[in-house]
Amino acid sequence: MNTPDVIVIGGGTGGYSAALRAAALGLTVVLAERDKVGGTCLHRGCIPSKAMLHAAELVDGITEARERWGVKATLDDIDWPALVATRDDIVTRNHRGVEAHLAHARVRVVRGSARLTGPRSVRVEGAPDDLPGGAGDFTARRGIVLATGSRPRTLPGLVPDGRRVVTSDDALFAPGLPRSVLVLGGGAIGVEYASFHRSMGAEVTLVEAADRIVPLEDVDVSRHLTRGLKKRGIDVRAGARLLDAELLEAGVRARVRTVRGEIRTVEAERLLVAVGRAPVTDGLDLAAAGLATDERGFVTPADWDRLETAVPGIHVVGDLLPPPSPGLAHASFAEGLSVAETLAGLPSAPVDYAAVPRVTYSSPQTASVGLGEAEARARGHEVDVNTMPLTAVAKGMVHGRGGMVKVVAEEGGGQVLGVHLVGPHVSEMIAESQLIVGWDAQPSDVARHIHAHPTLSEAVGETFLTLAGRGLHQQ
Protein backbone atom coordinates (compact mmCIF):
# COMPACT_ATOMS: atom_id res chain seq x y z
CA MET A 1 0.00 0.00 0.00
CA ASN A 2 2.42 2.67 -1.23
CA THR A 3 -0.41 4.77 -2.69
CA PRO A 4 -2.82 5.17 0.25
CA ASP A 5 -5.59 7.70 0.29
CA VAL A 6 -4.06 9.51 3.27
CA ILE A 7 -0.56 9.78 4.73
CA VAL A 8 -0.32 10.97 8.32
CA ILE A 9 3.10 12.11 9.57
CA GLY A 10 3.22 11.84 13.34
CA GLY A 11 1.37 9.43 15.63
CA GLY A 12 0.45 11.70 18.52
CA THR A 13 -3.08 12.67 19.47
CA GLY A 14 -3.79 14.70 16.35
CA GLY A 15 -2.15 12.18 14.04
CA TYR A 16 -3.70 8.98 15.31
CA SER A 17 -7.15 10.56 15.63
CA ALA A 18 -6.94 11.66 11.97
CA ALA A 19 -5.77 8.18 10.97
CA LEU A 20 -8.49 6.35 12.87
CA ARG A 21 -11.28 8.61 11.66
CA ALA A 22 -10.09 8.46 8.04
CA ALA A 23 -9.93 4.65 8.22
CA ALA A 24 -13.42 4.51 9.75
CA LEU A 25 -14.65 6.49 6.75
CA GLY A 26 -13.27 3.90 4.37
CA LEU A 27 -9.99 5.55 3.39
CA THR A 28 -6.68 3.70 3.26
CA VAL A 29 -4.16 5.24 5.64
CA VAL A 30 -0.41 5.10 6.26
CA LEU A 31 0.77 6.55 9.54
CA ALA A 32 4.50 7.33 9.79
CA GLU A 33 5.90 7.59 13.34
CA ARG A 34 9.58 7.68 14.24
CA ASP A 35 9.10 6.93 17.93
CA LYS A 36 5.95 5.47 19.51
CA VAL A 37 2.34 6.11 18.58
CA GLY A 38 0.66 8.20 21.23
CA GLY A 39 3.13 11.05 21.04
CA THR A 40 4.19 13.44 23.78
CA CYS A 41 0.81 13.40 25.51
CA LEU A 42 0.85 9.66 26.13
CA HIS A 43 4.53 9.04 26.74
CA ARG A 44 6.00 12.24 28.20
CA GLY A 45 3.13 14.59 28.97
CA CYS A 46 -0.55 14.40 29.82
CA ILE A 47 -0.92 10.78 30.88
CA PRO A 48 2.22 10.12 32.96
CA SER A 49 2.15 13.57 34.55
CA LYS A 50 -1.51 13.23 35.58
CA ALA A 51 -0.80 9.78 36.97
CA MET A 52 1.88 11.33 39.14
CA LEU A 53 -0.39 14.21 40.13
CA HIS A 54 -2.95 11.64 41.27
CA ALA A 55 -0.29 10.11 43.49
CA ALA A 56 0.44 13.60 44.80
CA GLU A 57 -3.24 14.06 45.60
CA LEU A 58 -3.17 10.87 47.66
CA VAL A 59 -0.16 12.17 49.60
CA ASP A 60 -1.95 15.47 50.25
CA GLY A 61 -4.99 13.52 51.42
CA ILE A 62 -2.96 11.90 54.19
CA THR A 63 -1.95 15.31 55.50
CA GLU A 64 -5.51 16.60 55.29
CA ALA A 65 -6.85 13.49 57.02
CA ARG A 66 -4.50 14.02 59.94
CA GLU A 67 -4.58 17.81 60.27
CA ARG A 68 -8.22 18.55 59.45
CA TRP A 69 -10.29 15.45 60.08
CA GLY A 70 -8.63 13.85 63.07
CA VAL A 71 -7.76 10.70 61.14
CA LYS A 72 -4.38 9.77 62.60
CA ALA A 73 -2.84 8.75 59.32
CA THR A 74 0.89 8.94 58.73
CA LEU A 75 3.07 8.79 55.65
CA ASP A 76 6.00 6.49 56.33
CA ASP A 77 7.70 6.84 52.98
CA ILE A 78 7.16 7.27 49.25
CA ASP A 79 8.25 4.20 47.33
CA TRP A 80 9.46 6.02 44.23
CA PRO A 81 10.16 2.89 42.14
CA ALA A 82 6.64 1.59 42.90
CA LEU A 83 5.10 4.94 41.96
CA VAL A 84 7.06 4.98 38.71
CA ALA A 85 6.08 1.37 37.96
CA THR A 86 2.38 2.19 38.35
CA ARG A 87 2.75 5.29 36.17
CA ASP A 88 4.58 3.34 33.48
CA ASP A 89 2.02 0.54 33.56
CA ILE A 90 -0.74 3.06 32.87
CA VAL A 91 1.24 4.49 29.95
CA THR A 92 2.03 1.03 28.57
CA ARG A 93 -1.59 -0.10 28.69
CA ASN A 94 -2.72 3.07 26.94
CA HIS A 95 0.01 2.66 24.32
CA ARG A 96 -1.04 -0.91 23.61
CA GLY A 97 -4.61 0.28 23.34
CA VAL A 98 -3.73 2.88 20.70
CA GLU A 99 -1.71 0.32 18.74
CA ALA A 100 -4.60 -2.14 18.90
CA HIS A 101 -7.08 0.49 17.68
CA LEU A 102 -4.83 1.34 14.74
CA ALA A 103 -4.35 -2.32 13.85
CA HIS A 104 -8.06 -3.04 14.10
CA ALA A 105 -8.78 -0.06 11.84
CA ARG A 106 -6.23 -1.39 9.32
CA VAL A 107 -4.08 1.71 9.57
CA ARG A 108 -0.60 0.80 8.36
CA VAL A 109 1.90 2.14 10.90
CA VAL A 110 5.36 2.66 9.39
CA ARG A 111 8.24 3.10 11.84
CA GLY A 112 10.69 5.72 10.69
CA SER A 113 11.35 9.39 9.98
CA ALA A 114 9.17 10.89 7.28
CA ARG A 115 9.95 13.80 4.99
CA LEU A 116 8.01 15.42 2.22
CA THR A 117 9.27 14.89 -1.31
CA GLY A 118 6.43 16.71 -3.03
CA PRO A 119 2.91 18.02 -2.49
CA ARG A 120 1.50 14.49 -2.31
CA SER A 121 4.59 12.35 -1.72
CA VAL A 122 6.50 11.23 1.37
CA ARG A 123 9.68 9.23 1.96
CA VAL A 124 10.03 7.25 5.19
CA GLU A 125 13.53 6.26 6.25
CA GLY A 126 14.98 4.15 9.02
CA ALA A 127 12.29 1.48 9.16
CA PRO A 128 13.92 -1.81 8.12
CA ASP A 129 11.20 -3.92 9.75
CA ASP A 130 8.51 -2.34 7.61
CA LEU A 131 10.18 -1.47 4.34
CA PRO A 132 12.95 -3.22 2.38
CA GLY A 133 16.22 -1.38 2.74
CA GLY A 134 14.84 0.80 5.52
CA ALA A 135 13.28 3.32 3.16
CA GLY A 136 10.11 3.69 1.18
CA ASP A 137 8.20 6.18 -0.93
CA PHE A 138 4.49 6.81 -0.59
CA THR A 139 2.06 8.89 -2.59
CA ALA A 140 -1.22 10.09 -1.11
CA ARG A 141 -4.23 10.05 -3.40
CA ARG A 142 -6.23 12.47 -1.26
CA GLY A 143 -3.88 14.26 1.07
CA ILE A 144 -1.21 14.45 3.74
CA VAL A 145 -1.69 15.33 7.42
CA LEU A 146 1.23 16.98 9.22
CA ALA A 147 1.11 16.11 12.93
CA THR A 148 4.73 16.12 14.14
CA GLY A 149 4.05 17.80 17.48
CA SER A 150 6.35 19.89 19.64
CA ARG A 151 9.31 19.77 22.01
CA PRO A 152 10.11 21.74 25.17
CA ARG A 153 11.73 25.12 24.76
CA THR A 154 14.68 26.05 26.91
CA LEU A 155 16.57 29.26 27.68
CA PRO A 156 19.97 30.37 26.39
CA GLY A 157 22.74 28.89 28.48
CA LEU A 158 20.56 26.21 30.07
CA VAL A 159 21.58 22.79 28.82
CA PRO A 160 19.41 20.00 30.25
CA ASP A 161 21.43 17.11 31.68
CA GLY A 162 18.50 14.97 32.88
CA ARG A 163 19.46 15.34 36.53
CA ARG A 164 20.17 18.90 37.68
CA VAL A 165 18.59 20.78 34.76
CA VAL A 166 15.55 19.12 33.22
CA THR A 167 12.81 20.00 30.78
CA SER A 168 9.18 19.06 31.36
CA ASP A 169 9.80 15.98 29.18
CA ASP A 170 12.81 14.94 31.29
CA ALA A 171 11.23 15.65 34.67
CA LEU A 172 9.12 12.51 34.59
CA PHE A 173 12.19 10.34 34.19
CA ALA A 174 14.74 12.18 36.34
CA PRO A 175 16.16 10.02 39.13
CA GLY A 176 14.35 10.08 42.46
CA LEU A 177 12.57 12.89 44.25
CA PRO A 178 14.54 16.09 44.80
CA ARG A 179 14.38 17.94 48.12
CA SER A 180 14.24 21.31 46.38
CA VAL A 181 13.16 22.47 42.92
CA LEU A 182 13.33 25.75 41.04
CA VAL A 183 10.64 25.81 38.36
CA LEU A 184 11.05 28.28 35.50
CA GLY A 185 7.70 29.05 33.90
CA GLY A 186 4.34 29.66 35.49
CA GLY A 187 2.11 28.29 32.76
CA ALA A 188 0.09 25.12 33.20
CA ILE A 189 3.08 22.77 32.90
CA GLY A 190 5.26 24.69 35.33
CA VAL A 191 2.46 25.04 37.87
CA GLU A 192 1.63 21.34 37.69
CA TYR A 193 5.23 20.32 38.32
CA ALA A 194 5.59 22.84 41.12
CA SER A 195 2.44 21.42 42.71
CA PHE A 196 3.61 17.81 42.31
CA HIS A 197 7.01 18.37 43.86
CA ARG A 198 5.55 20.31 46.76
CA SER A 199 3.16 17.44 47.49
CA MET A 200 6.16 15.11 47.49
CA GLY A 201 7.87 17.21 50.16
CA ALA A 202 10.20 19.42 48.13
CA GLU A 203 10.86 23.09 48.75
CA VAL A 204 9.63 24.75 45.57
CA THR A 205 10.29 28.15 44.00
CA LEU A 206 8.16 29.02 40.96
CA VAL A 207 9.44 31.83 38.72
CA GLU A 208 7.32 33.42 35.98
CA ALA A 209 8.47 36.33 33.81
CA ALA A 210 4.94 37.66 33.25
CA ASP A 211 3.28 39.70 35.97
CA ARG A 212 1.18 36.71 37.07
CA ILE A 213 1.19 32.94 36.78
CA VAL A 214 -1.04 31.24 34.16
CA PRO A 215 -1.01 34.60 32.35
CA LEU A 216 -3.36 33.43 29.59
CA GLU A 217 -6.13 32.87 32.12
CA ASP A 218 -8.51 35.38 33.68
CA VAL A 219 -6.79 37.55 36.28
CA ASP A 220 -9.01 36.17 39.07
CA VAL A 221 -7.94 32.63 38.15
CA SER A 222 -4.30 33.68 38.51
CA ARG A 223 -5.01 35.38 41.82
CA HIS A 224 -6.85 32.45 43.38
CA LEU A 225 -4.30 29.94 42.08
CA THR A 226 -1.40 32.00 43.43
CA ARG A 227 -3.10 32.18 46.80
CA GLY A 228 -3.66 28.43 46.85
CA LEU A 229 -0.06 27.61 45.87
CA LYS A 230 1.38 30.02 48.43
CA LYS A 231 -0.84 28.54 51.11
CA ARG A 232 0.80 25.21 50.37
CA GLY A 233 4.24 26.71 50.88
CA ILE A 234 5.30 27.28 47.27
CA ASP A 235 7.37 30.44 46.78
CA VAL A 236 5.63 32.04 43.79
CA ARG A 237 7.65 34.76 42.05
CA ALA A 238 5.76 36.45 39.22
CA GLY A 239 7.34 39.31 37.27
CA ALA A 240 10.73 37.70 37.88
CA ARG A 241 13.46 36.63 35.47
CA LEU A 242 16.33 34.20 35.56
CA LEU A 243 19.65 36.02 35.18
CA ASP A 244 21.97 33.02 35.19
CA ALA A 245 22.39 29.53 36.61
CA GLU A 246 25.49 27.72 37.80
CA LEU A 247 25.73 23.96 37.94
CA LEU A 248 26.81 22.55 41.28
CA GLU A 249 27.83 19.01 42.13
CA ALA A 250 24.40 18.23 43.54
CA GLY A 251 22.18 20.88 42.00
CA VAL A 252 22.09 24.44 40.68
CA ARG A 253 22.60 27.95 41.96
CA ALA A 254 20.52 30.53 40.11
CA ARG A 255 20.21 34.29 40.28
CA VAL A 256 16.70 35.69 39.82
CA ARG A 257 15.70 39.32 39.40
CA THR A 258 12.43 39.87 41.28
CA VAL A 259 9.60 42.17 40.28
CA ARG A 260 11.07 44.83 42.61
CA GLY A 261 14.45 44.67 40.92
CA GLU A 262 16.14 42.75 43.71
CA ILE A 263 18.63 40.01 42.88
CA ARG A 264 17.85 36.80 44.73
CA THR A 265 20.00 33.67 44.76
CA VAL A 266 18.15 30.35 44.75
CA GLU A 267 19.85 27.01 45.28
CA ALA A 268 17.98 23.84 44.40
CA GLU A 269 18.70 20.21 43.64
CA ARG A 270 16.83 20.52 40.38
CA LEU A 271 16.03 23.31 37.92
CA LEU A 272 12.96 22.48 35.86
CA VAL A 273 12.55 24.47 32.64
CA ALA A 274 8.89 24.86 31.64
CA VAL A 275 8.95 27.97 29.43
CA GLY A 276 6.77 26.62 26.64
CA ARG A 277 7.00 24.28 23.68
CA ALA A 278 8.22 24.71 20.11
CA PRO A 279 6.79 23.01 16.99
CA VAL A 280 8.89 20.19 15.49
CA THR A 281 9.49 20.48 11.76
CA ASP A 282 13.19 19.55 11.49
CA GLY A 283 13.74 16.85 8.91
CA LEU A 284 10.24 17.29 7.49
CA ASP A 285 11.55 19.16 4.40
CA LEU A 286 8.54 21.41 4.04
CA ALA A 287 10.18 23.25 1.14
CA ALA A 288 10.00 20.10 -1.01
CA ALA A 289 6.22 20.48 -0.97
CA GLY A 290 6.24 24.25 -1.36
CA LEU A 291 5.66 25.03 2.32
CA ALA A 292 7.47 27.07 4.94
CA THR A 293 7.05 27.87 8.62
CA ASP A 294 6.31 31.31 10.01
CA GLU A 295 8.87 33.20 12.09
CA ARG A 296 7.83 31.22 15.19
CA GLY A 297 8.18 27.83 13.52
CA PHE A 298 4.46 27.13 13.06
CA VAL A 299 2.80 25.90 9.86
CA THR A 300 -0.08 28.29 9.31
CA PRO A 301 -3.16 27.10 7.40
CA ALA A 302 -4.36 29.07 4.42
CA ASP A 303 -7.86 27.79 5.23
CA TRP A 304 -8.52 27.53 8.98
CA ASP A 305 -11.91 25.91 8.49
CA ARG A 306 -10.29 22.98 6.70
CA LEU A 307 -6.88 23.29 8.44
CA GLU A 308 -5.43 23.16 4.93
CA THR A 309 -2.14 24.80 4.01
CA ALA A 310 -1.43 26.90 0.93
CA VAL A 311 -0.59 23.61 -0.81
CA PRO A 312 -3.93 21.91 -1.56
CA GLY A 313 -4.21 18.51 0.07
CA ILE A 314 -1.68 19.15 2.85
CA HIS A 315 -3.36 19.68 6.21
CA VAL A 316 -1.90 20.44 9.61
CA VAL A 317 -3.05 19.57 13.13
CA GLY A 318 -1.84 19.79 16.72
CA ASP A 319 1.18 21.65 18.01
CA LEU A 320 2.34 22.67 14.52
CA LEU A 321 -0.58 25.09 14.40
CA PRO A 322 -0.21 28.66 15.69
CA PRO A 323 -2.87 30.29 17.87
CA PRO A 324 -5.85 30.25 18.05
CA SER A 325 -5.15 26.50 18.23
CA PRO A 326 -4.23 26.17 21.92
CA GLY A 327 -1.67 23.37 21.66
CA LEU A 328 -3.74 21.05 23.84
CA ALA A 329 -4.19 17.33 23.24
CA HIS A 330 -7.98 17.46 23.22
CA ALA A 331 -7.91 20.25 20.62
CA SER A 332 -5.52 18.16 18.51
CA PHE A 333 -7.95 15.26 18.74
CA ALA A 334 -10.78 17.43 17.39
CA GLU A 335 -8.52 18.81 14.65
CA GLY A 336 -7.61 15.28 13.55
CA LEU A 337 -11.26 14.27 13.29
CA SER A 338 -12.11 17.40 11.32
CA VAL A 339 -9.28 16.97 8.82
CA ALA A 340 -10.10 13.28 8.29
CA GLU A 341 -13.72 14.14 7.49
CA THR A 342 -12.57 16.86 5.10
CA LEU A 343 -10.27 14.41 3.29
CA ALA A 344 -13.17 11.96 3.03
CA GLY A 345 -15.24 14.63 1.30
CA LEU A 346 -17.67 15.06 4.16
CA PRO A 347 -18.90 18.36 5.57
CA SER A 348 -17.10 19.00 8.84
CA ALA A 349 -17.65 21.89 11.21
CA PRO A 350 -14.43 23.78 11.92
CA VAL A 351 -12.97 23.45 15.40
CA ASP A 352 -14.53 26.01 17.74
CA TYR A 353 -11.42 27.19 19.55
CA ALA A 354 -13.42 29.53 21.75
CA ALA A 355 -15.09 26.49 23.32
CA VAL A 356 -11.92 24.45 23.97
CA PRO A 357 -11.52 24.00 27.74
CA ARG A 358 -8.20 24.79 29.43
CA VAL A 359 -7.20 22.88 32.57
CA THR A 360 -4.30 23.06 35.00
CA TYR A 361 -4.13 19.89 37.12
CA SER A 362 -2.35 21.40 40.10
CA SER A 363 -3.64 21.67 43.64
CA PRO A 364 -5.76 23.73 43.47
CA GLN A 365 -6.89 22.97 39.92
CA THR A 366 -8.03 25.56 37.39
CA ALA A 367 -10.45 25.03 34.49
CA SER A 368 -11.68 27.65 32.05
CA VAL A 369 -13.48 28.02 28.75
CA GLY A 370 -14.15 31.10 26.67
CA LEU A 371 -13.13 34.68 27.35
CA GLY A 372 -11.79 36.19 30.53
CA GLU A 373 -13.25 39.45 31.79
CA ALA A 374 -10.43 41.70 30.52
CA GLU A 375 -10.31 39.91 27.17
CA ALA A 376 -14.07 40.27 26.73
CA ARG A 377 -13.94 43.99 27.47
CA ALA A 378 -10.94 44.42 25.14
CA ARG A 379 -13.01 42.89 22.35
CA GLY A 380 -15.69 45.49 22.86
CA HIS A 381 -18.21 43.50 24.91
CA GLU A 382 -20.24 45.17 27.62
CA VAL A 383 -20.34 42.49 30.27
CA ASP A 384 -21.97 41.33 33.47
CA VAL A 385 -19.67 39.38 35.77
CA ASN A 386 -20.48 37.24 38.78
CA THR A 387 -17.94 35.55 41.02
CA MET A 388 -18.80 33.11 43.79
CA PRO A 389 -16.49 31.28 46.20
CA LEU A 390 -16.80 27.50 46.22
CA THR A 391 -17.20 27.71 49.97
CA ALA A 392 -20.57 29.39 49.40
CA VAL A 393 -21.95 25.87 48.94
CA ALA A 394 -21.80 23.09 51.52
CA LYS A 395 -19.63 20.74 49.43
CA GLY A 396 -17.06 23.50 49.07
CA MET A 397 -16.92 23.76 52.86
CA VAL A 398 -16.45 19.99 53.09
CA HIS A 399 -13.43 20.16 50.82
CA GLY A 400 -12.17 23.25 52.62
CA ARG A 401 -9.71 24.28 49.94
CA GLY A 402 -11.19 27.57 48.76
CA GLY A 403 -11.71 28.22 45.08
CA MET A 404 -14.20 30.15 43.01
CA VAL A 405 -16.54 30.25 40.03
CA LYS A 406 -16.49 33.26 37.72
CA VAL A 407 -18.89 33.79 34.83
CA VAL A 408 -18.55 36.50 32.18
CA ALA A 409 -21.68 37.21 30.12
CA GLU A 410 -22.98 39.86 27.76
CA GLU A 411 -24.62 42.67 29.67
CA GLY A 412 -28.34 42.41 30.32
CA GLY A 413 -28.69 38.64 30.32
CA GLY A 414 -26.91 38.03 27.04
CA GLN A 415 -24.66 35.22 25.82
CA VAL A 416 -22.24 33.59 28.22
CA LEU A 417 -18.73 34.48 27.05
CA GLY A 418 -16.57 32.65 29.56
CA VAL A 419 -16.57 30.44 32.66
CA HIS A 420 -13.58 30.19 35.01
CA LEU A 421 -13.13 27.76 37.89
CA VAL A 422 -10.50 27.31 40.59
CA GLY A 423 -10.61 24.60 43.25
CA PRO A 424 -10.68 20.87 43.86
CA HIS A 425 -11.90 18.64 41.01
CA VAL A 426 -12.83 21.55 38.74
CA SER A 427 -11.23 19.69 35.82
CA GLU A 428 -14.22 17.34 36.05
CA MET A 429 -16.68 20.25 36.23
CA ILE A 430 -15.71 22.23 33.12
CA ALA A 431 -17.60 20.09 30.58
CA GLU A 432 -20.93 21.69 31.50
CA SER A 433 -19.46 25.15 30.94
CA GLN A 434 -17.96 24.06 27.63
CA LEU A 435 -21.46 23.29 26.39
CA ILE A 436 -22.80 26.54 27.80
CA VAL A 437 -20.18 28.62 25.96
CA GLY A 438 -20.19 26.45 22.84
CA TRP A 439 -23.96 26.61 22.46
CA ASP A 440 -24.14 30.39 23.06
CA ALA A 441 -26.35 29.92 26.11
CA GLN A 442 -27.58 32.77 28.28
CA PRO A 443 -27.60 32.75 32.09
CA SER A 444 -31.38 32.29 32.07
CA ASP A 445 -30.97 29.13 29.98
CA VAL A 446 -28.64 27.62 32.57
CA ALA A 447 -30.67 28.84 35.55
CA ARG A 448 -33.59 26.64 34.52
CA HIS A 449 -31.55 23.50 35.17
CA ILE A 450 -31.13 21.98 38.62
CA HIS A 451 -27.71 21.06 39.98
CA ALA A 452 -27.43 18.12 42.36
CA HIS A 453 -27.06 18.85 46.08
CA PRO A 454 -24.60 18.72 47.70
CA THR A 455 -22.01 19.12 44.95
CA LEU A 456 -19.34 21.60 44.00
CA SER A 457 -21.24 22.17 40.76
CA GLU A 458 -23.97 23.88 42.79
CA ALA A 459 -21.66 26.89 42.88
CA VAL A 460 -21.76 26.98 39.07
CA GLY A 461 -25.55 26.78 39.11
CA GLU A 462 -25.86 29.46 41.78
CA THR A 463 -23.54 31.79 39.84
CA PHE A 464 -25.81 31.56 36.80
CA LEU A 465 -28.94 31.93 38.95
CA THR A 466 -27.55 35.20 40.27
CA LEU A 467 -26.74 36.49 36.78
CA ALA A 468 -30.31 35.59 35.78
CA GLY A 469 -31.68 37.57 38.72
CA ARG A 470 -32.81 34.51 40.68
CA GLY A 471 -29.88 33.95 43.03
CA LEU A 472 -30.38 32.94 46.65
CA HIS A 473 -27.02 34.37 47.61
CA GLN A 474 -26.75 37.58 45.62
CA GLN A 475 -23.17 38.66 45.03
Side-chain angles (χ1 to χ4, degrees):
M1 188 175 68
N2 282 23
T3 55
D5 294 316
V6 178
I7 302 170
V8 180
I9 304 177
T13 313
Y16 77 69
S17 64
L20 287 171
R21 181 61 178 145
L25 294 171
L27 304 182
T28 55
V29 183
V30 164
L31 171 61
E33 170 55 55
R34 62 186 176 188
D35 189 5
K36 296 178 180 179
V37 293
T40 294
C41 177
L42 176 52
H43 297 286
R44 297 175 295 280
C46 319
I47 305 306
S49 66
K50 275 52 180 184
M52 294 171 74
L53 284 162
H54 176 68
E57 186 179 8
L58 297 175
V59 172
D60 292 338
I62 294 172
T63 301
E64 181 185 355
R66 181 179 65 252
E67 296 182 356
R68 185 163 184 250
W69 294 100
V71 178
K72 302 304 180 184
T74 58
L75 177 64
D76 295 330
D77 194 13
I78 295 172
D79 186 338
W80 180 248
L83 189 156
V84 167
T86 301
R87 176 201 72 193
D88 291 350
D89 177 63
I90 292 167
V91 171
T92 298
R93 286 190 284 131
N94 274 273
H95 176 229
R96 288 172 179 165
V98 174
E99 288 192 315
H101 283 309
L102 291 166
H104 181 73
R106 300 185 184 279
V107 172
R108 181 179 177 187
V109 178
V110 179
R111 311 289 178 181
S113 297
R115 60 183 175 87
L116 298 169
T117 55
R120 289 292 176 92
S121 57
V122 172
R123 169 167 280 254
V124 182
E125 299 173 311
D129 293 338
D130 294 276
L131 300 167
D137 293 301
F138 297 86
T139 301
R141 288 193 288 262
R142 298 210 181 192
I144 296 171
V145 182
L146 305 180
T148 47
S150 64
R151 63 167 62 94
R153 296 182 187 274
T154 186
L155 295 175
L158 286 180
V159 180
D161 65 0
R163 180 171 64 90
R164 294 165 295 181
V165 178
V166 298
T167 67
S168 56
D169 278 8
D170 306 324
L172 292 167
F173 310 103
L177 287 168
R179 289 172 294 183
S180 55
V181 182
L182 169 60
V183 179
L184 297 181
I189 294 174
V191 168
E192 287 177 2
Y193 275 108
S195 180
F196 169 79
H197 283 98
R198 183 60 188 148
S199 297
M200 294 297 168
E203 294 297 318
V204 178
T205 301
L206 176 62
V207 172
E208 166 57 45
D211 61 358
R212 55 192 176 90
I213 61 173
V214 289
L216 299 181
E217 298 293 344
D218 184 273
V219 65
D220 283 328
V221 171
S222 297
R223 181 169 57 86
H224 278 264
L225 179 58
T226 299
R227 180 188 302 164
L229 296 177
K230 286 184 173 181
K231 188 176 180 180
R232 297 182 56 210
I234 296 174
D235 184 7
V236 180
R237 299 278 174 166
R241 292 184 178 274
L242 178 75
L243 297 178
D244 52 50
E246 173 190 0
L247 290 180
L248 307 175
E249 180 63 30
V252 295
R253 180 185 295 120
R255 292 194 308 147
V256 175
R257 185 188 301 276
T258 70
V259 68
R260 296 174 180 170
E262 303 165 344
I263 307 299
R264 183 181 175 219
T265 300
V266 180
E267 289 194 15
E269 286 188 20
R270 189 166 295 163
L271 190 159
L272 198 161
V273 186
V275 293
R277 299 185 66 85
V280 173
T281 56
D282 50 295
L284 196 52
D285 199 1
L286 294 170
L291 290 173
T293 64
D294 67 13
E295 65 279 1
R296 298 166 296 176
F298 294 111
V299 180
T300 303
D303 183 342
W304 272 94
D305 286 354
R306 294 168 55 87
L307 297 177
E308 189 170 27
T309 67
V311 177
I314 299 183
H315 300 255
V316 59
V317 301
D319 290 353
L320 290 185
L321 288 167
S325 178
L328 299 171
H330 43 284
S332 300
F333 188 87
E335 289 161 354
L337 296 181
S338 178
V339 164
E341 290 161 0
T342 296
L343 288 170
L346 298 178
S348 181
V351 177
D352 182 2
Y353 291 114
V356 174
R358 307 176 299 275
V359 179
T360 303
Y361 296 85
S362 53
S363 178
Q365 294 183 354
T366 77
S368 303
V369 63
L371 302 180
E373 180 180 356
E375 186 180 6
R377 295 187 191 279
R379 294 192 183 188
H381 296 282
E382 298 293 332
V383 298
D384 287 332
V385 177
N386 189 34
T387 302
M388 175 170 289
L390 284 185
T391 51
V393 298
K395 196 64 180 291
M397 296 180 191
V398 170
H399 284 284
R401 297 185 223 164
M404 64 107 189
V405 177
K406 180 174 182 177
V407 176
V408 181
E410 288 276 12
E411 190 176 48
Q415 175 185 339
V416 177
L417 302 173
V419 181
H420 310 274
L421 312 175
V422 180
H425 309 302
V426 296
S427 59
E428 305 294 342
M429 294 167 55
I430 197 62
E432 171 190 23
S433 298
Q434 178 188 1
L435 296 177
I436 291 167
V437 171
W439 287 346
D440 301 335
Q442 299 178 354
S444 59
D445 297 323
V446 184
R448 291 199 301 267
H449 298 282
I450 300 168
H451 289 73
H453 171 80
T455 63
L456 291 173
S457 67
E458 278 186 284
V460 176
E462 180 65 25
T463 304
F464 280 104
L465 278 166
T466 299
L467 279 173
R470 300 176 60 200
L472 301 177
H473 305 91
Q474 298 289 337
Q475 299 293 307

